[in-house]
Amino acid sequence: RSRGLGDVYKRQCVYDGETLVFDFVLPEGQCELSVRGIDNGYVVTETFDSSDLVAEVFVGTITDCEIELTTQKGNTYSGVLYVGNE
């Protein structure tokens, strides 16, 4: 089933300039993350485990992007992150 990023996280995805940080309410096992730049189509894909409830995923420098997260529990979460790089 598909949900927005805010449905699974205590806070929405946070980007610190190189890393996306996700806070899970409940662990959902292995997660596959896809980040696609809206303006340039640049794609980053990573796999990580959500068992610690906080996941920090290095993605490097990104621009405004669409995020899709698919979990081992069968859920897919998506959202848009506006970074504000100009």
Side-chain angles (χ1 to χ4, degrees):
R1 77 193 143 167
S2 185
R3 300 178 179 175
L5 283 172
D7 292 341
V8 69
Y9 307 114
K10 295 177 196 172
R11 64 178 187 217
Q12 293 195 2
C13 156
V14 174
Y15 176 64
D16 74 359
E18 292 185 338
T19 304
L20 290 172
V21 180
F22 301 97
D23 287 339
F24 287 83
V25 174
L26 298 170
E28 295 205 34
Q30 285 294 111
C31 299
E32 294 181 16
L33 173 69
S34 175
V35 179
R36 186 181 68 78
I38 292 172
D39 295 332
N40 59 16
Y42 177 72
V43 177
V44 175
T45 57
E46 292 290 336
T47 301
F48 63 91
D49 188 2
S50 65
S51 62
D52 290 336
L53 299 183
V54 175
E56 296 184 6
V57 183
F58 178 81
V59 293
T61 303
I62 57 175
T63 59
D64 296 345
C65 58
E66 296 175 341
I67 298 172
E68 184 171 283
L69 183 66
T70 303
T71 71
Q72 187 175 356
K73 297 257 184 186
N75 294 313
T76 298
Y77 304 96
S78 60
V80 176
L81 178 66
Y82 296 102
V83 178
N85 291 342
E86 295 184 18

